[in-house]
Amino acid sequence: MTETTSGWASARHRRSITWIVALATLAMAFDGYDLVVYGTILPILMADPSQIGAISAQQGGALGSYALVGVMVGALFTGAVGDRLGRRKMMLVNIVWFSVGMGAAALSTSLTMFGLLRFFTGIGIGGLVATVGALVAEFAPQGKRNLYNAIVYSGVPAGGVLASLLAIGLRDAIGWRGLFWVGALPLVILLPLALVKLPESPQWLLVRGRTDEALAVSEKFGVPLPTSAPAPVEKVGFAALATRRYALGTALLGLMSFAGLLLTYGLNTWLPKIMADAGYDAKGSLAFLLVLNGGAIVGGLLASRIADRAGGPQRVIVTTFFLAAVALTLLTFGFPLPVLLAAVAVAGVGTIGTQVLIYGFVSNYYETSARAAGVAWCAGFGRLGGIFGPIIGGFLIGAGLSNNINFYIFAGIAVAGALVTLLVPAVRASRAAAPTPTTAAPAQA
């Protein structure tokens, strides 16, 4: 079974990939929901100590970071074991883990309990983020990888849009606990579908020497196998990242992700509070969050199409980082509301949308034996940036400094991210083994 010029080996191949991309996108949507829902409820928790206790601005930033510490732990753990246990198993485990964490957080009665459960939930999110990048890279047809990766990771801002809309429309009716219960829905919506429709990656099976299972997956789901045997590998997972081939690129990709996620989490956590302090009412301040994530979805998809046509996302990422710096600077000038909303939309493209492109860059930078580890490294190390984003905002707001200082700092980080991206070296191609007839399944219509 071979791919045609359109990228599809058969109609069944196309249906299978559509299901895989849809499931991965839905998983990422709940990641984005978790990211943004905290920002939507933070003003309530800070204003009403009877919920889980009194929360200062600094404590609010710290609570926002606990989940990100969990994401870092989950991503790094998945990187350590994901290239050995497989993509499907890691997806299923982390869907359950994340859902249970969100539901349990809705029952929190104290700051300590809430913080611990945010950390617990983050572990599952980190596992999902690290796994879906490898999954898409190994299933998406050539020429569509950046687009499909963007579709999947655009689930993050899509989930942010969902959280913003639900907060605007239902927060007063169902409260912050109800919004967290919505985050537990993957257990009853996503998990049953994934059990039936999500196959293991044939590329991963071949690398692990499980040729018969790879052939069975290919036949059942119509997914073509490589026309040549996988190149022999001496090191798998994190060990491969430290090799001469990947070491410098891995360090720079980690710094890119650090910058992208610092901007993403910093803005999503504090933008409603900053705009509320600027005089906008509750729904008006949440509208800025909606525009930020909506801009990221549209801009990220357009940028990914450009990346596919340009032969890669590196130059596109440089451009979007610089766009973020410009947009964030414009937010300090007190322009009329329509101009501010446009600037926030562009900032969404340059921050959240840029992180979508970074995951695509990372997923295709590594070969199968190191792919999950590479994505996990960037997701895990990048989450350090995500941890610092809410903390920086909380510190500056708590210190009584101008909100513009936040925007200037975020703009400077975007410029630094662009410069780092320019330095990422091209990876040397490995030598593939000679073609072998055992890696191709019989053609199926």
Side-chain angles (χ1 to χ4, degrees), residues 152 286 340:
V152 167
L286 288 173
L340 290 179

Side-chain angles (χ1 to χ4, degrees), residues 271 275 280 284-292 337 340-341 344:
L271 189 59
M275 303 319 289
Y280 295 93
S285 62
L286 288 173
F288 280 95
L289 205 58
L290 181 62
V291 171
L292 180 78
L337 180 60
L340 290 179
L341 289 173
V344 168

Side-chain angles (χ1 to χ4, degrees), residues 388-412:
F388 282 114
I391 290 176
I392 289 172
F395 175 79
L396 293 173
I397 291 173
L401 299 177
S402 167
N403 286 328
N404 288 348
I405 300 297
N406 268 316
F407 290 131
Y408 288 135
I409 289 175
F410 289 148

Side-chain angles (χ1 to χ4, degrees), residues 33 44 162-176 178-179 182 283:
Y33 182 88
I44 292 178
L162 175 64
S164 301
L165 290 173
L166 289 179
I168 291 171
L170 296 177
R171 189 175 68 178
D172 293 340
I174 65 176
W176 72 268
L179 292 175
V182 171
K283 290 187 177 180

Side-chain angles (χ1 to χ4, degrees), residues 280-357:
Y280 295 93
D281 61 22
K283 290 187 177 180
S285 62
L286 288 173
F288 280 95
L289 205 58
L290 181 62
V291 171
L292 180 78
N293 286 276
I297 295 172
V298 176
L301 290 173
L302 289 174
S304 70
R305 292 298 297 271
I306 296 171
D308 274 327
R309 292 173 181 175
Q314 189 167 7
R315 288 178 294 176
V316 181
I317 292 171
V318 173
T319 302
T320 55
F321 263 134
F322 275 122
L323 283 175
V326 172
L328 289 167
T329 302
L330 289 176
L331 290 175
T332 68
F333 283 98
F335 287 117
L337 180 60
V339 178
L340 290 179
L341 289 173
V344 168
V346 175
V349 177
T351 55
I352 307 168
T354 295
Q355 188 60 32
V356 168
L357 292 170

